[in-house]
Amino acid sequence: MGRRSTAKEVAEAAGVSKWTVIRAFTPGASIAEASREKVMEAARRLNYSPNLLARSLATNLTRQVAAFVDDFANPHKLPFLATLTEILQSEGLVVTLININRHFDHVHALLNADQRQVDAVVLCGTAFRDETLQDKRLGPGTPPTFVLARDSQIDGVPAITCDVETAMAEICDYLAAKPYRRPGFMSGPRTLSTALGRQRLFSDFWRNRGVPAIPDIPAADYSIGAGAAAMRAYLAATPADQRLDLLMCENDVLAFGAMDVIRGEFHLRVPEDIAVAGFDNTTFAASPAYDLTSYEQPIEAMVRTVADMILDRAEKRTVYLKGRLVPRRSA
Amino acid sequence: MGRRSTAKEVAEAAGVSKWTVIRAFTPGASIAEASREKVMEAARRLNYSPNLLARSLATNLTRQVAAFVDDFANPHKLPFLATLTEILQSEGLVVTLININRHFDHVHALLNADQRQVDAVVLCGTAFRDETLQDKRLGPGTPPTFVLARDSQIDGVPAITCDVETAMAEICDYLAAKPYRRPGFMSGPRTLSTALGRQRLFSDFWRNRGVPAIPDIPAADYSIGAGAAAMRAYLAATPADQRLDLLMCENDVLAFGAMDVIRGEFHLRVPEDIAVAGFDNTTFAASPAYDLTSYEQPIEAMVRTVADMILDRAEKRTVYLKGRLVPRRSA
DNA sequence: TTGTATGCGTTATCAA
DNA sequence: TTGATAACGCATACAA
């Protein structure tokens, strides 16, 4: 029953050659108006539309972009995916969502993307070591690759990310104007944490202000549970008079976990006892339940930049875009 | 530089015909061990791997599945996407994420999926009217389509969803055992709300118990903001002594918005003044900030079922799977 | 076990 | 403007 009809079939129905059919479906092609109408009529009757697969094989362009994601626990991925798909779709590209996990790592996924001939690969804040992208199994022919929402030092792999220097300066200036004296930082997994560069900038800022030691509270991963566990361990191990009074978290999700424990388990107040700040300005940061001071990444600008690079409308190079501080009650 | 090498090139390098190369890469093919090794060696040298695009054109199988999503504001989509991608990838399939929006509607997306020859389409809880899927522009040849996480009455389009009858019975029994007397329901957009079937079952339950009127509090969409707005309007318009004391929300996100307003703006207590229950058991439902009684959908089972149907390992028919009540403090 | 011919549905290029 | 030939890289069927 429902087989797709082909240009050849339409050609027969319209009494022309199949190339004329193709032309009728090619925007700039030179074709007589009469022929075009005949073709379109037949096409409508046969319910014809071009087979994009065959087109891709012939043009060497799939108009498909692979987006790698390895952290589905973070609700912050959603706005990124929403924006990425929307903007790329508006350019006629489609996004294939690749779940990077134990069974399907970066090398695997890159190889697969190459085999499927995608036009580009976008690493959406995934955690990888630089060596990974230089694996020998990856030929020099792999698709153009971009790193979104984290830094990268690999050349040939542009990073499109939030300008974290400005961001942390803004955040720190804002916090330093308040009476907090013992700042601490909650970080995520080392690989990604380093690539984000937030911790170093935070620590440097306070060190320059004469704060001797800035405690690091390491979370196992970027999830509410991990943030909660890290905070629980810290509070349990630290005498009340030695605790920090300001906790900067690498992102909102960690901050949520920390706040849950601070308030729910240790019955301390935010911000009076411990102030908390996050990063990403997740939806829930705005909720009165958290009211979390956070920092909004310029998602749309970042995605537009990636799109421009993918479509060769912009030079492929690392770019830092400015975000926006969103002050709230938590700090 | 980095052009992919082809079977033909490997064949020349290995001194065999290109068909032998193909065989070496075809699992069940009959080929001499010696030839296979020669081929593999050459393939390694030339960094060859089969072009899946060309394969798809020849086999009529893309091993690509399109997933339609239209509600990126709901964090609940993330576990669905995570599970869908992970399970399908483990079967060698890849998921293309289609953002259904104003500029790219269901018909558009379906047409496009068809042109790209995807093996299947999964509507992930998207809001559509049944007629949409029967649009005349969609030939009879469109890919097998499945509806995930909502009901569907279209024949030929199986729905894989949570068994809402059992779910609502469980929820209502649980709530009825508590001293609530004036239940109300917060619903989302009509199309989807109806397809979810939650409101009707909830209302029926209480009507059968002699509750005369069950107020409907309609939210514009499934977002925290919409839930908050709906609750704000209701509380503002309803005298304190006539207010409901139990609010069942169509999903968690609405419940979060409602709770934010109940507590943050009207300074009422949950559950003492108004108890709240949700649906989906989102990550944040477990947080002490909300501690929301909710209902967990059997996501993994649902996705496995879809996968089995896509891979023709299970009969393509509507299936209802049982979820799990997660009682917490909010109700 | 291996090689050959043919087809998948387009696009690119050239000739008419 | 139109038709024809070749090519994209693989798979299928058949013959050797």
Side-chain angles (χ1 to χ4, degrees), chain B residues 131-201:
Chain B
E131 303 86 84
T132 306
L133 298 195
Q134 294 154 333
D135 191 287
K136 45 190 164 260
R137 286 166 293 177
L138 304 171
T142 43
T145 303
F146 304 89
V147 170
L148 189 61
R150 60 157 280 187
D151 209 349
S152 139
Q153 299 304 330
I154 318 164
D155 49 64
V157 180
I160 292 84
T161 165
C162 179
D163 176 359
V164 66
E165 305 238 357
T166 309
M168 289 311 292
E170 253 186 278
I171 295 172
C172 289
D173 282 340
Y174 168 81
L175 295 173
K178 304 211 168 192
Y180 311 126
R181 341 199 86 224
R182 293 183 305 285
F185 193 92
M186 183 178 288
S187 57
R190 187 125 320 269
T191 332
L192 196 46
S193 189
T194 308
L196 289 171
R198 292 169 195 169
Q199 180 166 27
R200 188 181 50 74
L201 289 162

Side-chain angles (χ1 to χ4, degrees), chain B residues 86-103:
Chain B
E86 174 160 2
I87 290 182
L88 289 183
Q89 278 172 208
S90 76
E91 303 283 359
L93 301 182
V94 120
V95 173
T96 293
L97 179 60
I98 302 297
N99 186 337
I100 303 292
N101 55 42
R102 254 190 340 289
H103 312 102

Side-chain angles (χ1 to χ4, degrees), chain B residues 9-90:
Chain B
E9 292 166 355
V10 174
E12 284 162 12
V16 298
S17 76
K18 66 172 177 177
W19 295 277
T20 301
V21 174
I22 302 284
R23 285 188 187 98
F25 281 87
T26 309
S30 84
I31 181 178
E33 190 51 34
S35 313
R36 137 166 275 125
E37 272 168 23
K38 260 194 311 188
V39 168
M40 286 314 198
E41 213 286 306
R44 221 173 351 256
R45 252 185 11 247
L46 296 184
N47 215 298
Y48 168 81
S49 65
N51 180 327
L52 298 186
L53 204 56
R55 173 178 293 176
S56 292
L57 185 62
T59 58
N60 228 340
L61 267 180
T62 54
R63 306 200 70 84
Q64 293 191 185
V65 171
F68 290 9
V69 172
D70 65 359
D71 180 22
F72 287 87
N74 192 339
H76 184 50
K77 290 292 175 220
L78 227 25
F80 267 107
L81 288 179
T83 313
L84 190 67
T85 48
E86 174 160 2
I87 290 182
L88 289 183
Q89 278 172 208
S90 76

Side-chain angles (χ1 to χ4, degrees), chain A residues 189-208:
Chain A
R190 185 122 326 264
T191 333
L192 196 47
S193 190
T194 308
L196 289 172
R198 294 169 194 169
Q199 179 165 30
R200 188 181 50 73
L201 290 163
F202 183 83
S203 300
D204 287 354
F205 177 92
W206 293 98
R207 229 188 322 270
N208 287 341

Side-chain angles (χ1 to χ4, degrees), chain B residues 111-130:
Chain B
L111 241 25
N112 183 268
D114 187 29
Q115 286 191 268
R116 293 202 334 275
Q117 305 275 79
V118 302
D119 294 344
V121 172
V122 178
L123 309 187
C124 299
T126 55
F128 60 87
R129 287 169 305 114
D130 283 7

